[in-house]
């Protein structure tokens, strides 16, 4: 697995969203490394990490396991974990399955149950291969970007066919402080993103929620200043 690291202090692991990689989190790394040691991961099969022959059906859980492996490699007992979109799913799953190793979690632009219709629409839009996205994917992954996007498309289609439920009612197992953020105008998660995130917050004992009418998907990148300010306040106050 490939990762980028910057800063000193408490460890903050950043997990990229679907079709992204750590290279697109350089701005987050620069910002949060003012207070923390930041490590941004490329999931296996993506970015500069080793390729895999087949993407597993439990991709997001495997992502959580890879984040735990990075924690072990860095010889730290615990970490804060931040993810956006699909990376947020893995961040929450890490808090569920490795509770003793996650001290705080920031989950941006994800919901408990993704709309199958929205997932299929997202795949259809990707298959038009707009140049802006192709450039994004090539920077994220290199010349074999199309193979990776096709694998992720299949992942989303399988997720849609399974009903879009990512947690199976396990969110209540999260014991650490959790910040859930999103734009109410999120074009992928609409129309019930606000209601879903509130339901997620009800299940997580130490949750905080931040919803904004500005931005889109993901909120982390479409309104970066607002996201960074609220996430930085949450993370620094968690250990005050």
């Amino acid at each position: 697995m490939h990762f980028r690291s910057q800063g000193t202090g408490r460890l903050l692991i950043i997990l990229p969203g679907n079709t992204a990689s750590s290279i697109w989190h350089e701005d987050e790394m620069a910002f949060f490394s003012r207070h923390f040691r930041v490590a941004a991961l490329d999931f296996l099969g993506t970015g500069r990490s080793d390729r895999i022959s087949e993407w597993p059906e439990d991709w997001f859980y495997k992502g959580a396991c890879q984040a735990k492996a990075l924690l072990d490699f860095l010889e730290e007992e615990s970490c804060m974990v931040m993810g956006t979109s699909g990376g947020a799913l893995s961040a929450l799953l890490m808090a569920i399955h490795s509770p003793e190793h996650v001290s705080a979690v920031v989950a941006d632009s994800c919901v408990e149950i993704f709309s199958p219709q929205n997932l299929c629409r997202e795949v259809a839009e990707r298959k038009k291969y707009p140049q802006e996205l192709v450039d994004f994917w090539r920077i994220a992954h290199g010349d074999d970007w199309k193979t990776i996007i096709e694998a992720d498309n299949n992942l989303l289609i399988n997720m849609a066919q399974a009903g879009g439920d990512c947690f199976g009612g396990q969110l209540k197992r999260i014991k650490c402080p959790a910040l859930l953020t999103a734009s109410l105008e999120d074009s992928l998660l609409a129309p019930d993103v606000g209601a879903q995130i509130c339901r997620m917050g009800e299940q997580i004992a130490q949750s905080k929620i931040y919803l904004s009418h500005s931005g889109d998907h993901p909120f982390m990148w479409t309104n970066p200043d607002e996201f960074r300010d609220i996430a930085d306040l949450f993370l620094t106050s968690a250990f005050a």
Side-chain angles (χ1 to χ4, degrees):
M1 293 186 300
H2 174 263
F3 70 94
R4 303 167 192 272
S5 183
Q6 185 173 340
T8 59
R10 292 181 181 271
L11 177 62
L12 170 65
I13 293 178
I14 296 180
L15 303 179
N18 298 64
T19 78
S21 71
S22 64
I23 196 170
W24 283 110
H25 284 287
E26 290 181 339
D27 288 345
E28 283 75 43
M29 293 183 67
F31 180 86
F32 290 103
S33 64
R34 299 178 308 162
H35 299 137
F36 308 112
R37 178 189 185 188
V38 183
L41 176 66
D42 289 344
F43 293 121
L44 284 173
T46 73
R48 292 177 60 186
S49 288
D50 288 348
R51 299 300 184 247
I52 52 179
S53 58
E54 184 176 351
W55 285 28
E57 292 184 4
D58 58 348
W59 171 265
F60 300 109
Y61 170 69
K62 287 294 196 299
C65 296
Q66 292 166 34
K68 173 58 169 58
L70 176 58
L71 174 69
D72 294 340
F73 177 79
L74 295 173
E75 299 182 333
E76 297 281 357
E77 288 295 321
S78 65
C79 67
M80 302 166 291
V81 60
M82 173 187 293
T84 187
S85 193
L89 300 180
S90 292
L92 290 168
L93 286 166
M94 186 182 180
I96 289 169
H97 293 284
S98 300
E100 68 276 22
H101 299 294
V102 179
S103 55
V105 59
V106 177
D108 174 58
S109 300
C110 79
V111 289
E112 184 176 15
I113 301 175
F114 283 75
S115 161
Q117 293 81 4
N118 287 358
L119 292 173
C120 292
R121 187 185 69 225
E122 172 68 13
V123 171
E125 289 299 315
R126 289 181 184 179
K127 288 184 176 180
K128 297 176 182 177
Y129 297 110
Q131 190 59 49
E132 183 179 3
L133 281 181
V134 170
D135 292 342
F136 176 91
W137 294 331
R138 182 174 281 111
I139 291 172
H141 307 293
D143 291 338
D144 64 343
W145 63 267
K146 192 170 184 179
T147 301
I148 295 164
I149 302 311
E150 289 175 350
D152 193 75
N153 286 345
N154 292 334
L155 177 72
L156 295 189
I157 292 298
N158 291 336
M159 186 176 168
Q161 292 173 345
D165 186 349
C166 302
F167 300 106
Q170 298 184 88
L171 288 172
K172 59 182 177 292
R173 292 175 53 189
I174 297 176
K175 304 303 181 186
C176 67
L179 173 65
L180 310 176
T181 64
S183 168
L184 292 168
E185 309 302 322
D186 191 308
S187 55
L188 176 61
L189 305 180
D192 64 341
V193 55
Q196 277 222 57
I197 288 183
C198 287
R199 287 196 295 270
M200 293 170 70
E202 289 173 354
Q203 298 174 66
I204 302 173
Q206 295 192 66
S207 66
K208 289 180 170 58
I209 292 171
Y210 188 85
L211 299 171
S212 175
H213 278 287
S214 63
D216 198 323
H217 187 88
F219 180 63
M220 173 188 283
W221 286 345
T222 56
N223 195 337
D225 292 340
E226 198 169 337
F227 170 80
R228 291 171 194 167
D229 285 347
I230 193 66
D232 191 49
L233 176 63
F234 168 78
L235 291 172
T236 53
S237 63
F239 303 100

